[in-house]
Amino acid sequence: MKIAFVGKGGSGKTTLSSLFIRHLAATGAPVVAVDADINQHLGATLGLDEDEAAALPSLGAHLPLIKDYLRGTNPRIPSADAMIKTTPPGEGSRLLRIREDNPVYAACARPLPLDVGGDGGSRGSGSGSGEIRLMVTGPFTEADLGVACYHSKVGAVELCLNHLVDGADEYVVVDMTAGSDSFASGMFTRFDMTFLVAEPTRKGVSVYRQYKEYARDFGVVLRVVGNKVQGPDDLDFLRDEVGEDLLVTVGHSDWVRAAEKGRPAPFAALEPENLSAMRALKDAVDATYEHRDWERYTRQMVHFHLRNAESWGNAKTGADLTAQVDPDFVLRERGVREAVPQLS
């Protein structure tokens, strides 16, 4: 299951995504966490110190490796140089799975043990160790300043999501860029659930309205998580502004405050009401599983690839990238292994 956390800058989406990641890990589920925000704070929020967070490998820096691996033996893609962020998989492409080891994870992901302790939920089929895989897009480098757009880095995440086959009880959680920047690519359609974190303010709900309007025609499942809610008036405000899209609210947390000071308690010590909110998020995600539409998912992937190819991709690569589309290929959870070549 693929989950995005979006919202206004400063709304607390990184904090809430980290709490949700810890909750998933506490249930024993396999988790891949991705920091796709221009402000790279997810690693620190999950407990890394400054040096450890800075040492995380960058997805953007390994884009040639990612492309070459995912290309596989797809005859429609003559070289990795001909791939762009929206290139869809086809017959012969290699696909990513959450529970496997592969060269992309080896280069770009780092195992991160979390002191989750347990939160009263049932253990899943995972190891129960609380260890996740953490991936980051990487910050701007000195060579990027003044010449590169951050979305060129996020493109590595989009390419991986386009080639990901994930099932029930396994999760990819992406901390997205702030505001409506997510709509600079087709990545906003890559998720089973999008949680929009909104403060009980006019600015907080304005991002919700904008996001919902932009996503309206793409079948995006959008739920609002109210954050920094201090009382009934805040709750009433959010209910009035976002209606049934409001899923849960989160208020002050002494656990979060201690973690921000570098003194986190075991996750089981998170306030009961906030643990309950994390369970509600997971229940909402899991409920979307039976409604998955892989054909629509693939169709949207192709839609944005064709748009990007015609807008800039063909000119950049000097090739007709529309020819990369395999009209007979549909990304599916089951029966897809026949299309994936084995590594020698």
Side-chain angles (χ1 to χ4, degrees):
M1 308 297 288
K2 297 177 286 292
I3 304 102
F5 278 80
V6 301
K8 180 179 70 66
S11 63
K13 64 182 180 61
T14 300
T15 297
L16 288 180
S17 62
S18 71
L19 292 179
F20 186 58
I21 289 164
R22 290 178 184 273
H23 169 65
L24 293 174
T27 69
V31 181
V32 175
V34 183
D35 191 345
D37 194 357
I38 189 171
N39 299 306
Q40 302 271 280
H41 296 314
L42 184 59
T45 309
L46 289 170
L48 297 181
D49 63 32
E50 186 174 330
D51 291 338
E52 291 170 329
L56 290 170
S58 164
L59 278 161
H62 290 87
L63 189 55
L65 178 150
I66 294 170
K67 289 180 177 181
D68 192 58
Y69 177 75
L70 297 180
R71 181 172 68 94
T73 60
N74 187 332
R76 296 175 178 273
I77 306 174
S79 70
D81 290 338
M83 296 178 72
I84 61 175
K85 64 181 182 179
T86 55
T87 295
E91 182 179 357
S93 295
R94 293 194 183 102
L95 305 178
L96 302 175
R97 293 170 180 80
I98 292 177
R99 299 174 189 264
E100 70 178 1
D101 294 319
N102 58 55
V104 175
Y105 291 157
C108 304
R110 288 295 175 265
L112 178 60
L114 300 176
D115 183 12
V116 292
D119 66 334
S122 61
R123 304 301 271 184
S125 59
S127 66
S129 66
E131 184 172 276
I132 67 166
R133 280 176 167 144
L134 176 62
M135 305 171 77
V136 302
T137 56
F140 276 115
T141 65
E142 186 172 326
D144 296 325
L145 297 178
V147 298
C149 171
Y150 190 69
H151 298 105
S152 63
K153 296 181 178 295
V154 177
V157 181
E158 184 172 2
L159 193 60
C160 287
L161 292 177
N162 280 354
H163 289 74
L164 177 70
V165 179
D166 56 312
D169 301 319
E170 50 185 27
Y171 303 87
V172 176
V173 181
V174 182
D175 183 18
M176 297 280 280
T177 53
S180 59
D181 282 358
S182 303
F183 293 94
S185 74
M187 196 162 73
F188 72 95
T189 65
R190 303 295 84 197
F191 302 100
D192 298 284
M193 174 67 72
T194 298
F195 290 126
L196 190 145
V197 180
E199 300 169 86
T201 64
R202 292 173 62 187
K203 288 183 178 179
V205 299
S206 69
V207 173
Y208 155 77
R209 293 196 189 97
Q210 188 178 48
Y211 207 101
K212 186 167 185 175
E213 174 64 21
Y214 288 164
R216 180 185 57 193
D217 297 328
F218 294 94
V220 173
V221 182
L222 179 67
R223 302 301 300 274
V224 174
V225 182
N227 194 29
K228 306 178 186 178
V229 175
Q230 298 181 6
D233 185 64
D234 285 348
L235 179 58
D236 289 343
F237 176 83
L238 286 173
R239 284 174 173 166
D240 290 342
E241 295 295 330
V242 308
E244 295 181 353
D245 285 341
L246 181 64
L247 179 62
V248 294
T249 62
V250 177
H252 174 77
S253 171
D254 289 332
W255 190 97
V256 169
R257 181 61 61 88
E260 290 174 342
K261 295 176 180 176
R263 301 194 295 267
F267 185 67
L270 184 68
E271 297 82 7
E273 62 273 21
N274 291 331
L275 278 174
S276 179
M278 295 304 108
R279 294 189 188 104
L281 298 188
K282 182 176 182 297
D283 288 344
V285 170
D286 291 343
T288 67
Y289 179 74
E290 62 180 294
H291 304 294
R292 277 186 152 188
D293 186 344
W294 285 103
E295 290 187 358
R296 184 182 70 182
Y297 189 83
T298 305
R299 189 165 59 249
Q300 290 176 336
M301 187 191 312
V302 169
H303 167 76
F304 284 107
H305 178 64
L306 295 178
R307 291 185 61 180
N308 278 268
E310 294 168 1
S311 175
W312 60 270
N314 289 347
K316 181 177 180 179
T317 62
D320 178 12
L321 301 186
T322 64
Q324 293 179 346
V325 176
D326 184 342
D328 299 320
F329 183 88
V330 176
L331 193 66
R332 296 187 186 279
E333 181 181 346
R334 298 179 181 86
V336 77
R337 287 189 179 274
E338 290 79 0
V340 185
Q342 298 297 314
L343 290 174
S344 58

Coordinates of all heavy atoms in Angstrom, one line a residue, residues 51-123:
D51 N 24.6 14.0 11.5 CA 25.6 13.3 10.7 C 25.0 12.1 10.0 O 25.3 11.9 8.8 CB 26.8 13.0 11.5 CG 27.6 14.2 12.0 OD1 27.4 15.3 11.3 OD2 28.3 14.1 12.9
E52 N 24.2 11.3 10.7 CA 23.7 10.1 10.1 C 22.7 10.5 9.0 O 22.6 9.8 8.0 CB 22.9 9.3 11.2 CG 23.9 8.7 12.2 CD 23.1 8.0 13.4 OE1 22.1 8.6 13.7 OE2 23.6 7.1 14.0
A53 N 21.9 11.5 9.3 CA 20.9 11.9 8.2 C 21.6 12.4 7.0 O 21.2 12.2 5.9 CB 20.0 13.0 8.8
A54 N 22.7 13.2 7.2 CA 23.4 13.8 6.1 C 24.1 12.7 5.3 O 24.4 12.8 4.1 CB 24.5 14.8 6.6
A55 N 24.4 11.5 5.9 CA 25.1 10.4 5.2 C 24.2 9.5 4.4 O 24.7 8.6 3.7 CB 25.9 9.6 6.2
L56 N 22.9 9.7 4.5 CA 22.0 8.9 3.8 C 22.2 9.0 2.3 O 22.4 10.1 1.8 CB 20.5 9.2 4.1 CG 20.1 8.9 5.5 CD1 18.7 9.5 5.8 CD2 20.0 7.4 5.7
P57 N 22.2 7.9 1.5 CA 22.4 8.0 0.1 C 21.2 8.6 -0.6 O 20.1 8.5 -0.2 CB 22.6 6.5 -0.4 CG 21.8 5.8 0.7 CD 22.0 6.5 2.0
S58 N 21.5 9.4 -1.7 CA 20.5 10.1 -2.4 C 19.9 9.3 -3.6 O 20.7 8.8 -4.4 CB 21.1 11.4 -2.9 OG 20.3 12.1 -3.8
L59 N 18.6 9.3 -3.6 CA 18.0 8.6 -4.8 C 18.4 9.4 -6.1 O 18.7 8.8 -7.1 CB 16.5 8.7 -4.7 CG 15.8 7.5 -3.8 CD1 14.4 8.0 -3.4 CD2 15.8 6.2 -4.6
G60 N 18.4 10.7 -6.0 CA 18.7 11.5 -7.2 C 20.1 11.2 -7.7 O 20.3 11.2 -8.9
A61 N 21.0 11.0 -6.8 CA 22.4 10.7 -7.2 C 22.6 9.3 -7.8 O 23.6 9.1 -8.5 CB 23.3 10.8 -6.0
H62 N 21.6 8.4 -7.6 CA 21.7 7.1 -8.1 C 20.7 6.9 -9.3 O 20.4 5.7 -9.6 CB 21.5 6.1 -7.0 CG 22.6 6.0 -6.0 ND1 22.6 6.8 -4.9 CD2 23.7 5.2 -6.0 CE1 23.7 6.5 -4.2 NE2 24.4 5.6 -4.9
L63 N 20.2 8.0 -9.9 CA 19.2 7.8 -10.9 C 19.7 6.9 -12.1 O 18.9 6.1 -12.6 CB 18.8 9.2 -11.4 CG 17.6 9.2 -12.3 CD1 16.4 8.5 -11.7 CD2 17.2 10.7 -12.7
P64 N 21.0 7.1 -12.6 CA 21.4 6.2 -13.7 C 21.3 4.7 -13.3 O 20.9 3.9 -14.1 CB 22.9 6.6 -13.9 CG 22.9 8.0 -13.5 CD 22.0 8.1 -12.3
L65 N 21.7 4.4 -12.1 CA 21.6 3.0 -11.6 C 20.1 2.5 -11.6 O 19.8 1.4 -12.0 CB 22.2 2.8 -10.2 CG 22.2 1.4 -9.6 CD1 23.4 1.2 -8.7 CD2 20.9 1.2 -8.7
I66 N 19.3 3.4 -11.1 CA 17.8 3.0 -11.0 C 17.3 2.8 -12.4 O 16.6 1.8 -12.6 CB 17.1 4.2 -10.3 CG1 17.5 4.3 -8.8 CG2 15.6 3.9 -10.3 CD1 17.0 5.5 -8.1
K67 N 17.6 3.7 -13.3 CA 17.0 3.5 -14.6 C 17.6 2.2 -15.3 O 16.8 1.5 -15.9 CB 17.5 4.7 -15.5 CG 16.7 6.0 -15.2 CD 17.2 7.1 -16.1 CE 16.5 8.4 -15.8 NZ 16.9 9.5 -16.7
D68 N 18.8 2.0 -15.1 CA 19.4 0.8 -15.8 C 18.8 -0.5 -15.2 O 18.5 -1.4 -16.0 CB 20.9 0.8 -15.6 CG 21.6 -0.2 -16.5 OD1 21.4 -0.2 -17.7 OD2 22.3 -1.1 -16.0
Y69 N 18.6 -0.5 -13.9 CA 18.0 -1.7 -13.3 C 16.6 -1.9 -13.7 O 16.2 -3.0 -14.2 CB 18.1 -1.6 -11.8 CG 17.4 -2.8 -11.1 CD1 18.1 -4.1 -11.1 CD2 16.2 -2.7 -10.5 CE1 17.5 -5.2 -10.5 CE2 15.6 -3.8 -9.9 CZ 16.2 -5.0 -9.9 OH 15.6 -6.1 -9.3
L70 N 15.8 -0.9 -13.7 CA 14.4 -1.0 -14.0 C 14.1 -1.3 -15.5 O 13.2 -1.9 -15.9 CB 13.6 0.3 -13.6 CG 13.6 0.6 -12.1 CD1 12.8 1.9 -11.8 CD2 13.0 -0.6 -11.3
R71 N 15.0 -0.8 -16.3 CA 14.9 -1.0 -17.8 C 14.9 -2.5 -18.1 O 14.1 -3.0 -19.0 CB 16.0 -0.3 -18.5 CG 16.0 -0.5 -20.0 CD 17.0 0.4 -20.7 NE 18.4 -0.1 -20.4 CZ 19.1 -0.9 -21.2 NH1 18.6 -1.3 -22.3 NH2 20.3 -1.2 -20.8
G72 N 15.7 -3.3 -17.4 CA 15.8 -4.7 -17.6 C 16.1 -5.0 -19.1 O 17.0 -4.5 -19.7
T73 N 15.2 -5.9 -19.7 CA 15.4 -6.2 -21.1 C 14.2 -5.7 -21.9 O 13.9 -6.3 -23.0 CB 15.5 -7.8 -21.3 OG1 14.3 -8.4 -20.7 CG2 16.7 -8.3 -20.5
N74 N 13.6 -4.6 -21.4 CA 12.5 -4.1 -22.2 C 12.9 -3.6 -23.5 O 13.7 -2.7 -23.7 CB 11.9 -2.9 -21.4 CG 10.6 -2.3 -21.9 OD1 10.3 -2.4 -23.1 ND2 9.8 -1.7 -21.1
P75 N 12.4 -4.2 -24.6 CA 12.9 -3.9 -26.0 C 12.5 -2.5 -26.4 O 13.0 -1.9 -27.4 CB 12.3 -4.9 -26.8 CG 11.0 -5.4 -26.1 CD 11.4 -5.3 -24.7
R76 N 11.5 -1.9 -25.7 CA 11.1 -0.5 -26.1 C 12.0 0.6 -25.6 O 11.8 1.7 -25.9 CB 9.6 -0.3 -25.6 CG 8.6 -1.2 -26.3 CD 7.2 -1.1 -25.7 NE 6.3 -2.0 -26.3 CZ 5.6 -1.7 -27.4 NH1 5.8 -0.5 -28.0 NH2 4.8 -2.5 -28.0
I77 N 12.9 0.2 -24.7 CA 13.8 1.2 -24.1 C 15.2 0.8 -24.4 O 15.8 -0.1 -23.8 CB 13.6 1.2 -22.5 CG1 12.1 1.4 -22.2 CG2 14.5 2.3 -21.9 CD1 11.8 1.4 -20.7
P78 N 15.8 1.4 -25.4 CA 17.1 1.0 -25.9 C 18.3 1.3 -24.9 O 19.3 0.6 -25.0 CB 17.3 1.8 -27.2 CG 16.4 3.0 -27.0 CD 15.3 2.5 -26.2
S79 N 18.1 2.3 -24.0 CA 19.2 2.6 -23.1 C 18.6 3.3 -21.9 O 17.5 3.9 -22.0 CB 20.3 3.4 -23.7 OG 19.8 4.7 -24.0
A80 N 19.3 3.3 -20.8 CA 18.8 4.0 -19.6 C 18.8 5.5 -19.9 O 17.9 6.2 -19.3 CB 19.8 3.8 -18.4
D81 N 19.6 6.0 -20.8 CA 19.6 7.4 -21.1 C 18.3 7.9 -21.8 O 17.9 9.1 -21.7 CB 20.7 7.8 -22.1 CG 22.1 7.7 -21.4 OD1 22.1 7.8 -20.1 OD2 23.1 7.5 -22.1
A82 N 17.5 6.9 -22.3 CA 16.3 7.2 -23.0 C 15.1 7.2 -22.0 O 14.0 7.5 -22.4 CB 16.0 6.2 -24.1
M83 N 15.4 6.9 -20.7 CA 14.3 6.9 -19.7 C 14.2 8.3 -19.0 O 15.1 9.0 -18.8 CB 14.6 5.9 -18.6 CG 14.6 4.4 -19.2 SD 15.0 3.2 -17.9 CE 13.4 3.2 -16.9
I84 N 12.9 8.7 -18.8 CA 12.6 9.9 -18.0 C 11.8 9.5 -16.7 O 11.5 8.3 -16.6 CB 11.9 11.0 -18.8 CG1 10.5 10.4 -19.3 CG2 12.8 11.4 -20.0 CD1 9.7 11.5 -20.0
K85 N 11.5 10.4 -15.9 CA 10.8 10.1 -14.6 C 9.5 9.4 -14.8 O 9.1 8.7 -13.9 CB 10.6 11.4 -13.8 CG 9.7 12.4 -14.5 CD 9.5 13.6 -13.6 CE 8.5 14.6 -14.3 NZ 8.3 15.8 -13.4
T86 N 8.9 9.5 -15.9 CA 7.5 8.9 -16.1 C 7.6 7.7 -17.0 O 6.5 7.1 -17.2 CB 6.6 10.0 -16.8 OG1 7.2 10.4 -18.1 CG2 6.3 11.1 -16.0
T87 N 8.7 7.2 -17.4 CA 8.8 6.0 -18.2 C 8.1 4.9 -17.6 O 8.4 4.5 -16.5 CB 10.2 5.6 -18.5 OG1 10.9 6.7 -19.3 CG2 10.3 4.3 -19.3
P88 N 7.1 4.3 -18.2 CA 6.3 3.2 -17.6 C 7.0 1.8 -17.9 O 7.7 1.7 -18.8 CB 5.0 3.3 -18.4 CG 5.3 3.8 -19.7 CD 6.5 4.7 -19.5
P89 N 6.7 0.9 -17.0 CA 7.2 -0.5 -17.3 C 6.5 -1.1 -18.4 O 5.4 -0.8 -18.8 CB 6.9 -1.2 -15.9 CG 5.7 -0.5 -15.4 CD 5.8 0.9 -15.8
G90 N 7.1 -2.1 -19.0 CA 6.5 -3.0 -20.0 C 7.1 -4.3 -19.9 O 7.8 -4.7 -19.0
E91 N 6.8 -5.2 -20.9 CA 7.4 -6.5 -21.0 C 8.9 -6.4 -20.9 O 9.5 -5.7 -21.7 CB 6.9 -7.2 -22.2 CG 7.4 -8.7 -22.3 CD 6.9 -9.4 -23.5 OE1 6.2 -8.8 -24.3 OE2 7.3 -10.6 -23.7
G92 N 9.5 -7.2 -20.0 CA 10.9 -7.2 -19.9 C 11.4 -6.2 -18.8 O 12.6 -6.3 -18.4
S93 N 10.6 -5.3 -18.3 CA 11.1 -4.4 -17.3 C 11.2 -5.1 -16.0 O 10.5 -6.1 -15.7 CB 10.0 -3.3 -17.1 OG 9.9 -2.4 -18.2
R94 N 12.1 -4.6 -15.1 CA 12.2 -5.2 -13.8 C 11.3 -4.3 -12.9 O 11.3 -3.1 -13.0 CB 13.7 -5.1 -13.3 CG 14.6 -6.0 -14.0 CD 15.9 -6.2 -13.3 NE 16.9 -7.0 -14.0 CZ 17.9 -6.5 -14.7 NH1 18.1 -5.2 -14.7 NH2 18.8 -7.3 -15.3
L95 N 10.7 -5.0 -11.9 CA 9.8 -4.3 -11.0 C 10.3 -4.4 -9.6 O 11.1 -5.3 -9.3 CB 8.4 -5.0 -11.1 CG 7.8 -5.0 -12.5 CD1 6.4 -5.7 -12.5 CD2 7.7 -3.6 -13.1
L96 N 9.9 -3.5 -8.8 CA 10.4 -3.5 -7.4 C 9.3 -4.1 -6.5 O 8.1 -3.9 -6.7 CB 10.6 -2.0 -6.9 CG 11.7 -1.3 -7.7 CD1 11.7 0.2 -7.2 CD2 13.0 -1.9 -7.6
R97 N 9.7 -4.8 -5.5 CA 8.8 -5.3 -4.4 C 9.3 -4.9 -3.1 O 10.5 -4.9 -2.8 CB 8.6 -6.8 -4.6 CG 7.9 -7.2 -5.9 CD 8.0 -8.7 -6.1 NE 7.3 -9.0 -7.4 CZ 7.8 -8.9 -8.6 NH1 9.0 -8.4 -8.7 NH2 7.1 -9.2 -9.7
I98 N 8.4 -4.7 -2.1 CA 8.8 -4.2 -0.8 C 9.6 -5.2 0.0 O 10.6 -4.8 0.7 CB 7.6 -3.7 -0.1 CG1 6.9 -2.5 -0.8 CG2 7.9 -3.4 1.4 CD1 5.6 -2.0 -0.1
R99 N 9.3 -6.5 -0.2 CA 9.9 -7.5 0.7 C 11.2 -8.1 0.1 O 11.7 -9.0 0.7 CB 8.9 -8.6 1.0 CG 7.7 -8.2 1.7 CD 6.7 -9.3 1.8 NE 5.4 -8.9 2.3 CZ 5.0 -9.0 3.5 NH1 5.8 -9.5 4.5 NH2 3.8 -8.6 3.9
E100 N 11.7 -7.6 -1.0 CA 12.8 -8.2 -1.7 C 14.1 -7.3 -1.4 O 14.1 -6.2 -0.9 CB 12.6 -8.2 -3.2 CG 12.6 -6.9 -3.8 CD 12.4 -6.9 -5.4 OE1 12.2 -8.1 -5.9 OE2 12.4 -5.9 -6.0
D101 N 15.2 -8.0 -1.8 CA 16.5 -7.2 -1.9 C 16.8 -7.0 -3.3 O 16.6 -8.0 -4.1 CB 17.6 -8.0 -1.2 CG 17.4 -8.1 0.3 OD1 17.0 -7.1 0.9 OD2 17.7 -9.2 0.9
N102 N 17.3 -5.9 -3.7 CA 17.6 -5.6 -5.1 C 18.7 -4.5 -5.1 O 19.0 -3.8 -4.1 CB 16.4 -5.2 -5.9 CG 15.7 -4.0 -5.3 OD1 16.3 -2.9 -5.1 ND2 14.4 -4.1 -5.0
P103 N 19.3 -4.3 -6.3 CA 20.3 -3.3 -6.4 C 19.9 -1.8 -6.1 O 20.7 -1.0 -5.6 CB 20.8 -3.4 -7.8 CG 20.5 -4.8 -8.2 CD 19.2 -5.1 -7.5
V104 N 18.6 -1.5 -6.3 CA 18.1 -0.2 -6.0 C 18.1 0.0 -4.5 O 18.6 1.1 -4.0 CB 16.7 0.0 -6.6 CG1 16.1 1.4 -6.1 CG2 16.7 0.0 -8.1
Y105 N 17.6 -0.9 -3.7 CA 17.6 -0.8 -2.3 C 19.0 -0.8 -1.7 O 19.3 -0.1 -0.8 CB 16.8 -2.0 -1.7 CG 15.3 -1.9 -1.9 CD1 14.5 -3.1 -1.8 CD2 14.6 -0.7 -2.2 CE1 13.1 -3.1 -2.1 CE2 13.3 -0.7 -2.4 CZ 12.5 -1.9 -2.4 OH 11.2 -1.8 -2.6
A106 N 19.8 -1.7 -2.3 CA 21.2 -1.8 -1.9 C 21.9 -0.4 -2.0 O 22.7 0.0 -1.1 CB 22.0 -2.8 -2.6
A107 N 21.7 0.3 -3.0 CA 22.4 1.6 -3.3 C 21.7 2.7 -2.6 O 22.3 3.7 -2.1 CB 22.4 1.9 -4.8
C108 N 20.3 2.7 -2.5 CA 19.6 3.9 -2.1 C 18.8 3.8 -0.8 O 18.4 4.9 -0.3 CB 18.6 4.3 -3.2 SG 19.3 4.5 -4.8
A109 N 18.7 2.6 -0.2 CA 17.9 2.5 1.0 C 18.9 2.1 2.2 O 19.8 1.4 2.0 CB 16.8 1.4 0.9
R110 N 18.5 2.5 3.3 CA 19.3 2.1 4.5 C 18.3 1.6 5.6 O 17.3 2.1 5.8 CB 20.0 3.3 5.1 CG 21.2 3.8 4.3 CD 22.3 2.7 4.2 NE 23.4 3.1 3.4 CZ 23.5 2.7 2.1 NH1 22.5 2.0 1.6 NH2 24.6 3.0 1.4
P111 N 18.7 0.4 6.2 CA 17.8 -0.2 7.2 C 17.9 0.7 8.4 O 19.0 1.2 8.8 CB 18.5 -1.5 7.5 CG 19.9 -1.4 7.0 CD 19.9 -0.4 5.9
L112 N 16.8 1.0 9.0 CA 16.7 1.8 10.2 C 15.9 1.1 11.3 O 14.7 1.0 11.2 CB 16.1 3.2 9.8 CG 15.9 4.2 11.0 CD1 17.3 4.5 11.6 CD2 15.3 5.5 10.5
P113 N 16.5 0.6 12.4 CA 15.7 0.1 13.5 C 15.1 1.2 14.3 O 15.7 2.2 14.6 CB 16.8 -0.7 14.3 CG 18.1 0.0 14.0 CD 18.0 0.6 12.6
L114 N 13.8 0.9 14.6 CA 13.0 1.9 15.4 C 12.7 1.2 16.7 O 12.3 0.1 16.8 CB 11.8 2.3 14.7 CG 12.0 2.9 13.3 CD1 10.6 3.2 12.6 CD2 12.7 4.2 13.4
D115 N 12.8 2.0 17.8 CA 12.4 1.6 19.1 C 10.9 1.7 19.3 O 10.4 2.6 19.9 CB 13.1 2.4 20.2 CG 12.8 1.9 21.6 OD1 12.2 0.8 21.7 OD2 13.1 2.6 22.6
V116 N 10.2 0.7 18.6 CA 8.7 0.9 18.6 C 8.0 0.2 19.8 O 7.0 0.6 20.2 CB 8.1 0.3 17.3 CG1 8.5 1.1 16.1 CG2 8.6 -1.2 17.1
G117 N 8.6 -0.9 20.3 CA 8.1 -1.5 21.5 C 6.8 -2.2 21.4 O 6.5 -3.2 22.0
G118 N 5.9 -1.7 20.5 CA 4.6 -2.3 20.4 C 3.6 -1.3 20.8 O 3.8 -0.5 21.7
D119 N 2.4 -1.3 20.2 CA 1.4 -0.3 20.5 C 0.0 -1.0 20.8 O -1.0 -0.3 20.7 CB 1.2 0.7 19.4 CG 0.7 0.1 18.1 OD1 0.9 -1.1 17.9 OD2 0.1 0.8 17.3
G120 N 0.0 -2.3 21.1 CA -1.2 -2.9 21.4 C -1.9 -3.5 20.2 O -2.9 -4.2 20.4
G121 N -1.4 -3.3 19.0 CA -1.9 -3.9 17.8 C -1.4 -5.3 17.6 O -0.5 -5.7 18.3
S122 N -2.0 -6.0 16.7 CA -1.5 -7.3 16.4 C -0.3 -7.3 15.5 O -0.1 -6.4 14.8 CB -2.7 -8.1 15.7 OG -3.0 -7.5 14.5
R123 N 0.6 -8.3 15.7 CA 1.8 -8.3 14.9 C 1.4 -8.8 13.5 O 0.6 -9.7 13.3 CB 2.8 -9.3 15.5 CG 3.2 -8.9 16.9 CD 3.7 -7.5 17.1 NE 5.2 -7.5 16.9 CZ 5.9 -6.5 17.1 NH1 5.4 -5.3 17.4 NH2 7.2 -6.5 16.9

